[in-house]
Structure formats: C-alpha cells, structure tokens
Amino acid sequence: MTEKRETILDVEDLVVAFRMYDKGFRKKDLEVIHSLSLKVGKGEIVAVVGSSGSGKSVLAHAALGLLPKNAVTSGRIRYKGQTLDNAKRKQCLGREIAYIPQSVDYLDPLMKVGPQVIGVHGTRERQRELFQQYQLPQETESKYPFQLSGGMARRVLISSAVMGQPELIIADEPTPGLDLEMATETLSHFRELADQGAAVLLITHDIDLAFHVADRIAVFYAGTIVEVAPKEDFLAGKDALRHPYSKAFLDALPQNAFRPIPGTQPYAGNLPSGCLFADRCPYRDEACAGEIPMRTIRNGEVRCVHAAESGTY
C-alpha cells in the first residue's frame, strides 16, 4: 500500500502548445504536452524519465512560469493546494520553491558566484557550508562563472537552489558534468532533503541513479505520461511494469544490452489518434485508436488499454 502523503505539487490535465506561423502566415498551435497529470508529495522524490524531446523540461518550465511568450497553456498547476500563478511564484520562488536548471547559463556572468548563491535570503556561513559539501574550494566564491569548469558551475547552481529549506525542488537534469561520485552524492542529498520533508521533482537521464533515490518513476513519451510506478517495480525488472514503452525503455538501458525497438517517437505536429505509442507497439489493435485514460493497476498508473493486473497483455 502506497503511503498517503500531503500533495505539494499537483499538475492536473496540463496542455502546453506553442503558437507559430505555418505556410501562408497561418497561425497554428503545436501541442507538445497533452493532458498531463502528476502529483509530488511531501517527503517524496518523483523522477521523470523518457527520451529526449518527450516534454520533460517543458513540464518544469510550465510549473515555474518560464515558458516563452508564444506558449499557450491550459489545465491546473497547484502548489500546496493553491494555484501556482505568477503572484504565487513571485512569493515562493527562491524561498519555498527551488529550481535547478538544466543549463549553467542561468548563472549571472557579471556577478561573482558567492553572492549569487547567497542571494537575498541566504548567509555566507551557509554558502561556505554548501561549497564544502559539494567540494568547491572556498576561493570559488570570488570567481565569475566563466572561470569555473562545467562541473563546478553545476555544483554552484545546486548550492544556490538548496541555500534555504525549500519545500519543493524542481531539478532539471542536475547531474550532467558531474563524475559518478559527485552525481551519486548530489542525488543522495536530494534524498536527505526529501526525508526532511521536501518534495522533489527530478528530471534526469541518470536513470540508474534515480532508480535508487526516487520513490516513484514517471515515464514520459511524446508529451504525456504513460506510466507512474514505484521505483521497486523498475528495480524488479520489466515484468513488474505495466506499459509496453516502459518495458522497452528498461530494455534499452546499458545493462540490458541497449535492446532497441523499431520506429521513432512521433513528431508533435503529426501525432496519431489514440495511443501515441501504438505505431511501435506489438500489442496494438483497434481499441488503441480510441481515448486512452490513465488507469490504476497494481499500485501504479498506466495509459494503456491492454495493461492487466497480472502483468501480461
């Protein structure tokens, strides 16, 4: 039985499209996130995994209000039960809500990194404590971002995000550029923050590491979530999973000999009706062309009409 947690981040039926011009200067909306729902609870790490281009970072940017001006959204995003609108973000970002971006370009190139990490609400003592924890020499605080290696800049970003005691951490690929030891330590630190009560949305390609620190795994495909399952199911192997794509995703990991499947993820501007994975699925039939809602099966959620309680199709 899954532990009942207070919901910190609640994404419900989110749709994100980008308005652009087609041939003949006709406007069209390119939908990249489709009917996406996800909850992250207090004290929980939910790892978001999936192939590049599946919409993982768009979810983070939608929650944080970082989408470009041509973005069109619908659905609801709530933080601790309240709508996460611009006013709420202004109140919470940098205090209760921490963001670790994918790109180190978020660092101000004209400002020394020590003051950047301290920000408005931090202290030098806490900054030095974090630099020591992330193996950044004390003199790093007086350097500019261009004087840092990629891995050092990444650790500065993480230090900045956890300066306070955030209740929600949204981490978008926090470990690229870090060696295995530092990446493992970083994710372990997220685990400690979650154990202290923080909710963590972890978008990552370091899948094996995520499997060992996350509570649940959300699998993205073509702009939506096809499965959310306890991490124990992924560690147990593909027979414990529910969706054909999740099984194929697990098969494609290095330890499983990179076993591929035919086909490619569909383009956002030319999506099939019904199941978005149907063109690549060996179990597809006429039922896959209709509406595919999320269903609760074996203590997890899945978007597949053929997923069964037994684990077979």
Side-chain angles (χ1 to χ4, degrees):
M1 182 67 67
T2 301
E3 179 186 351
K4 187 69 175 177
R5 301 175 186 268
E6 175 192 352
T7 298
I8 302 298
L9 179 66
D10 185 0
V11 180
E12 183 180 355
D13 201 26
L14 177 67
V15 176
V16 178
F18 295 114
R19 185 154 291 168
M20 56 185 59
Y21 288 96
D22 203 352
K23 294 179 180 178
F25 296 101
R26 292 188 298 263
K27 282 186 178 179
K28 72 171 186 178
D29 289 346
L30 182 67
E31 191 173 293
V32 296
I33 293 285
H34 332 285
S35 301
L36 188 153
S37 297
L38 182 67
K39 297 179 188 290
V40 187
K42 182 180 178 67
E44 178 182 43
I45 298 178
V46 175
V48 174
V49 302
S51 61
S52 297
S54 58
K56 303 185 297 297
S57 292
V58 177
L59 167 62
H61 291 174
L64 293 159
L66 297 176
L67 293 172
K69 292 183 179 180
N70 67 325
V72 181
T73 65
S74 63
R76 289 160 294 281
I77 302 177
R78 299 185 182 94
Y79 168 68
K80 297 173 69 174
Q82 297 183 341
T83 299
L84 191 55
D85 55 17
N86 287 334
K88 190 65 175 176
R89 292 186 188 103
K90 186 176 181 179
Q91 175 187 340
C92 296
L93 281 174
R95 297 184 182 181
E96 297 178 36
I97 301 176
Y99 174 47
I100 302 174
Q102 186 174 34
S103 173
V104 296
D105 291 340
Y106 276 77
L107 291 170
D108 186 339
L110 302 179
M111 187 178 185
K112 293 179 179 180
V113 298
Q116 288 194 59
V117 170
I118 295 170
V120 177
H121 309 291
T123 65
R124 183 173 297 279
E125 290 73 24
R126 174 64 172 158
Q127 173 250 302
R128 288 182 172 174
E129 175 188 327
L130 288 167
F131 276 20
Q132 183 176 15
Q133 178 175 352
Y134 288 109
Q135 298 178 25
L136 290 164
Q138 184 173 322
E139 59 267 23
T140 304
E141 64 188 30
S142 62
K143 294 182 181 295
Y144 290 94
F146 76 89
Q147 297 175 296
L148 307 179
S149 68
M152 292 175 71
R154 176 71 55 190
R155 284 175 273 162
V156 167
L157 280 174
I158 295 169
S159 300
S160 179
V162 299
M163 166 61 68
Q165 295 295 325
E167 296 193 47
L168 171 64
I169 300 170
I170 298 178
D172 188 1
E173 297 288 357
T175 54
L178 303 183
D179 61 32
L180 178 60
E181 181 180 359
M182 183 55 63
T184 301
E185 183 175 332
T186 298
L187 294 188
S188 296
H189 185 45
F190 289 161
R191 182 68 264 169
E192 291 172 9
L193 291 169
D195 291 341
Q196 293 165 12
V200 181
L201 180 67
L202 173 64
I203 298 168
T204 184
H205 280 104
D206 283 336
I207 298 160
D208 289 331
L209 296 181
F211 286 166
H212 289 86
V213 299
D215 298 283
R216 292 185 295 140
I217 312 291
V219 181
F220 267 51
Y221 185 79
T224 197
I225 294 174
V226 296
E227 180 166 357
V228 183
K231 64 110 175 268
E232 290 81 8
D233 292 354
F234 284 84
L235 294 174
K238 68 178 184 179
D239 290 342
L241 300 178
R242 299 149 191 79
H243 197 281
Y245 176 68
S246 301
K247 296 173 183 284
F249 183 81
L250 208 58
D251 268 346
L253 295 180
Q255 63 267 35
N256 296 323
F258 296 105
R259 287 194 290 271
I261 58 172
T264 58
Q265 182 173 257
Y267 168 57
N270 187 29
L271 295 175
S273 60
C275 176
L276 300 178
F277 185 65
D279 288 348
R280 307 175 72 187
C281 181
Y283 308 105
R284 67 182 180 272
D285 59 19
E286 290 138 2
C288 302
E291 184 178 354
I292 316 291
M294 289 290 277
R295 297 188 293 142
T296 299
I297 292 179
R298 289 186 281 116
N299 202 30
E301 298 173 86
V302 63
R303 194 183 297 275
C304 177
V305 296
H306 297 302
E309 290 288 348
S310 64
T312 59
Y313 295 90

